[in-house]
């Protein structure tokens, strides 16, 4: 059975992306919020999951902190350099902002540097984002 993307998902996803700094080298959405799952537990209001790939995470977080400061945890007081350092040096190289209301939809978004994404895709360093790309995604 083929997976069905949410009706007009391309337009809805681009509308959500318009709330963020434009300097994205790649953005994709994944999961049950984008592709409805079959079965009785299918949730029409499922969270939309995004990954934003950026060439310069410090600059991107700096702009996003100005535009969407409320998205960040207490780390916002430490600034974009510390956020980027945590993003790049711990875990899978992704910094997530979860449980964000955007255009009436609940979303979470992860930010990863382009170089770390490419390295993971080529060498499978941690397979976190590479694993997300093994499933259906909507690229914007």
């Amino acid at each position: 059975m083929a997976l069905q993307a949410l009706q007009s998902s391309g337009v809805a996803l681009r509308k959500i992306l318009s709330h963020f700094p434009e300097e994205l080298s790649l953005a994709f959405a994944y999961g049950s919020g984008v592709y409805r799952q079959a079965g009785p537990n299918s949730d029409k209001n499922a969270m939309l999951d995004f990954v934003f790939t950026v060439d310069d995470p410090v600059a991107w977080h700096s702009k996003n902190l100005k535009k969407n400061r409320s998205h960040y945890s207490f780390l916002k007081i430490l600034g974009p350099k510390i956020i980027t350092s945590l993003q790049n040096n711990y875990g899978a190289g992704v910094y997530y902002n979860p449980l964000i209301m955007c255009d009436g939809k609940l979303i979470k978004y992860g930010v990863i540097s382009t170089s770390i994404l490419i390295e993971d895709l080529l060498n499978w360093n941690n397979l976190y984002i590479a694993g997300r790309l093994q499933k259906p995604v909507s690229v914007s």
Side-chain angles (χ1 to χ4, degrees):
M1 178 165 116
L3 294 171
Q4 291 191 351
L6 296 178
Q7 188 174 13
S8 342
S9 64
V11 172
L13 297 178
R14 282 191 299 278
K15 188 174 179 188
I16 289 171
L17 290 178
S18 72
H19 292 272
F20 297 94
E22 294 178 2
E23 293 81 3
L24 300 174
S25 59
L26 173 70
F28 65 89
Y30 62 94
S32 61
V34 179
Y35 294 97
R36 289 203 179 115
Q37 309 296 307
N41 295 330
S42 170
D43 185 1
K44 293 179 183 176
N45 296 318
M47 181 183 303
L48 292 171
D49 302 311
F50 289 89
V51 171
F52 300 156
T53 305
V54 299
D55 292 336
D56 184 347
V58 174
W60 194 88
H61 283 298
S62 179
K63 290 177 183 178
N64 199 44
L65 280 163
K66 289 177 185 166
K67 197 169 189 177
N68 297 302
R69 190 166 183 82
S70 65
H71 293 188
Y72 289 82
S73 69
F74 73 92
L75 294 175
K76 65 185 154 209
I77 63 173
L78 301 176
K81 288 181 183 177
I82 299 297
I83 292 169
T84 299
S85 178
L86 291 170
Q87 169 187 316
N88 290 342
N89 298 310
Y90 296 95
V94 185
Y95 180 85
Y96 269 96
N97 284 322
L99 303 174
I100 307 299
M101 286 303 295
C102 189
D103 280 341
K105 304 236 183 250
L106 185 63
I107 71 166
K108 74 176 177 196
Y109 62 94
V111 181
I112 186 170
S113 74
T114 304
S115 61
I116 290 176
L117 174 63
I118 291 169
E119 186 70 24
D120 192 36
L121 292 172
L122 291 174
N123 300 313
W124 293 7
N125 294 339
N126 57 53
L127 292 175
Y128 186 77
I129 298 299
R132 298 289 181 281
L133 292 169
Q134 295 297 312
K135 301 174 185 178
V137 297
S138 179
V139 178
S140 298

